[in-house]
């Protein structure tokens, strides 16, 4: 077990553990004291977006566990598992300053033993949007998140709207499988110029970083249309696609307007709507979205 330095502000010593047993022992101790536990699952290389989840967890729970695990199961064979950025020392400093109590940082072998063969999958919600180009992604996400829920047994777990489909999938899984915890969704944290914060932004070179602004810009145009009362989903998609097409470094994976509950494509905007996009900037695939609630008149 590793102990990071004292957090002078709050007088907390944050632990970093690598085994499931150590997490279980710690949580058991907290439970004996009647303390509540929040969980923030991450893949590390933490930024202000992750920090907003940790801040929320710290404000709502007695103890907070942050998992830092680049989950091989949610990457496709041609995806960026090997190059995904990692920096545990930096992550530990951010977690400690935010007031987290424990980092769970397992090796892949700790999470998936040699003859691992049980999976959590979902028939609805996972076929469209990111599931189209990443067909095994949500099986990997549901499996690892289920394992984390069993290991940490949190009262609440925190997920970002940045990965809106993931948030919807996890909520659905928790309901289907009767996990006894609350899922808290947190808003997207952006750079000052509007780019949604992401660990993958570090892949972008200077030109690509500028080009990446086209994601939030196109969604901004979509939002303005919605605010002006547009309800035709095809028109909304066209405006976003046309805006994305003005950026030579951008190539669109998808632009979708879907119902925020079912994630099914809609023709007319009504109720709660997710406008989600995935765009390659050079070789880097970035996602962004807005959730829009049409006011009932
Ligand atoms: P990741 O490390 O990318 O798997 O993300 C871990 C959690 O942080 C997920 O629930 C993400 O949705 C959330 N997250 C990532 N980026 C942001 C952001 N810019 N704003 C809010 N939440 C975020």
């Amino acid at each position: 077990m590793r102990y990071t330095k004292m957090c002078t502000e709050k007088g907390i010593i944050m632990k970093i553990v690598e085994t499931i047993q150590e997490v279980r022992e710690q949580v058991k101790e907290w439970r004996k004291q009647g303390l509540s536990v929040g969980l923030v699952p991450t893949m590390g290389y933490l930024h202000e977006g992750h920090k907003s989840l940790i801040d929320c967890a710290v404000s709502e729970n007695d103890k907070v566990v942050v998992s830092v695990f680049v989950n091989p199961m949610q990457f496709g064979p041609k995806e960026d598992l090997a190059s995904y950025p990692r920096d545990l020392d930096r992550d530990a400093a951010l977690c400690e300053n935010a007031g987290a109590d424990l980092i769970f940082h397992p090796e892949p072998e700790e999470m998936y033993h040699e003859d691992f063969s049980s999976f959590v999958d979902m028939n609805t919600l996972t076929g469209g949007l990111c599931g189209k180009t990443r067909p095994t992604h949500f099986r990997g996400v549901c499996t690892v998140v289920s394992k984390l829920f069993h290991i940490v047994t949190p009262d609440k777990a925190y997920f970002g709207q940045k990965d809106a489909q993931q948030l919807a999938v996890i909520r659905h899984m928790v309901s289907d499988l009767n996990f006894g915890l609350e899922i808290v969704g947190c808003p997207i944290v952006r750079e000052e110029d509007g780019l949604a914060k992401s660990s993958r932004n570090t892949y972008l070179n200077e030109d690509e970083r500028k080009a990446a602004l086209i994601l939030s810009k196109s969604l901004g145009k979509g939002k303005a249309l919605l605010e002006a009362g547009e309800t035709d989903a095809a028109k909304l998609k066209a405006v976003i696609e046309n805006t994305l097409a003005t950026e030579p470094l951008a190539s669109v994976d998808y632009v979708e307007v879907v119902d925020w509950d079912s994630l099914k494509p809609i023709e007319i905007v009504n109720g709660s709507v997710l406008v989600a996009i995935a765009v390659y900037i050079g070789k880097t695939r970035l996602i962004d979205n807005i959730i829009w609630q049409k006011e009932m008149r």
Side-chain angles (χ1 to χ4, degrees):
M1 190 180 299
R2 252 175 78 181
Y3 291 86
T4 64
K5 63 182 183 304
M6 255 319 244
C7 171
T8 47
E9 222 173 281
K10 300 195 179 103
I12 295 165
I13 298 174
M14 191 188 64
K15 290 177 190 167
I16 302 176
V17 302
E18 292 180 355
T19 67
I20 292 164
Q21 195 190 337
E22 285 168 303
V23 179
R24 289 221 158 110
E25 279 168 9
Q26 179 62 84
V27 172
K28 202 169 160 191
E29 221 174 89
W30 289 337
R31 292 300 188 195
K32 263 195 228 153
Q33 298 168 40
L35 302 174
S36 63
V37 179
L39 169 67
V40 182
T42 82
M43 296 209 299
Y45 214 71
L46 305 180
H47 50 64
E48 291 289 318
H50 299 108
K51 185 175 174 296
S52 72
L53 270 55
I54 300 169
D55 287 343
C56 192
V58 167
S59 73
E60 294 183 351
N61 299 273
D62 297 317
K63 297 289 176 187
V64 170
V65 179
V66 179
S67 60
V68 174
F69 179 55
V70 183
N71 174 34
M73 200 188 283
Q74 70 190 66
F75 287 77
K78 290 184 184 152
E79 293 181 356
D80 57 341
L81 173 61
S83 57
Y84 198 84
R86 293 158 165 91
D87 188 342
L88 185 61
D89 288 341
R90 199 167 139 268
D91 291 347
L94 184 145
C95 288
E96 187 168 62
N97 286 328
D101 300 275
L102 182 76
I103 289 183
F104 177 41
H105 177 61
E107 290 295 327
E109 303 75 49
E110 177 71 7
M111 293 297 274
Y112 304 114
H113 51 73
E114 220 175 295
D115 55 351
F116 185 90
S117 63
S118 304
F119 302 90
V120 182
D121 210 346
M122 190 176 291
N123 281 339
T124 54
L125 304 186
T126 57
L129 304 172
C130 290
K132 255 192 197 155
T133 28
R134 308 187 75 191
T136 58
H137 175 67
F138 288 107
R139 182 169 103 143
V141 168
C142 287
T143 301
V144 80
V145 170
S146 298
K147 283 172 70 71
L148 290 169
F149 287 172
H150 287 309
I151 293 163
V152 180
T153 62
D155 299 285
K156 294 184 178 189
Y158 297 78
F159 292 85
Q161 186 204 306
K162 161 79 174 19
D163 300 86
Q165 186 176 16
Q166 171 175 276
L167 174 59
V169 164
I170 298 296
R171 282 204 168 121
H172 198 77
M173 179 186 83
V174 162
S175 160
D176 278 356
L177 301 182
N178 309 102
F179 281 99
L181 80 165
E182 185 188 331
I183 299 300
V184 181
C186 303
I188 301 178
V189 175
R190 298 177 179 280
E191 303 285 354
E192 265 180 29
D193 61 8
L195 179 66
K197 296 214 179 219
S198 165
S199 309
R200 289 190 169 98
N201 290 349
T202 51
Y203 296 151
L204 303 170
N205 66 29
E206 211 177 307
D207 288 343
E208 290 169 341
R209 173 65 183 77
K210 280 185 204 144
L213 279 183
I214 202 67
L215 277 88
S216 52
K217 193 175 162 197
S218 67
L219 285 173
K221 287 209 175 168
K223 191 168 173 219
L225 262 191
L226 287 164
E227 279 168 354
E230 183 60 69
T231 56
D232 184 339
K235 276 194 193 154
L236 194 60
K237 265 178 79 164
V239 163
I240 295 170
E241 281 165 352
N242 291 340
T243 309
L244 291 168
T246 62
E247 173 48 64
L249 292 180
S251 109
V252 173
D253 178 2
Y254 67 74
V255 174
E256 294 286 357
V257 182
V258 300
D259 177 76
W260 174 224
D261 258 345
S262 67
L263 301 189
K264 289 200 175 123
I266 53 167
E267 288 175 10
I268 302 293
V269 173
N270 207 354
S272 226
V273 172
L274 168 69
V275 183
I277 62 177
V279 179
Y280 289 92
I281 301 291
K283 285 187 179 149
T284 305
R285 185 175 177 280
L286 299 176
I287 56 172
D288 200 350
N289 67 78
I290 50 173
I291 293 173
W292 172 260
Q293 175 71 49
K294 185 171 183 294
E295 277 177 34
M296 304 297 174
R297 292 185 190 178

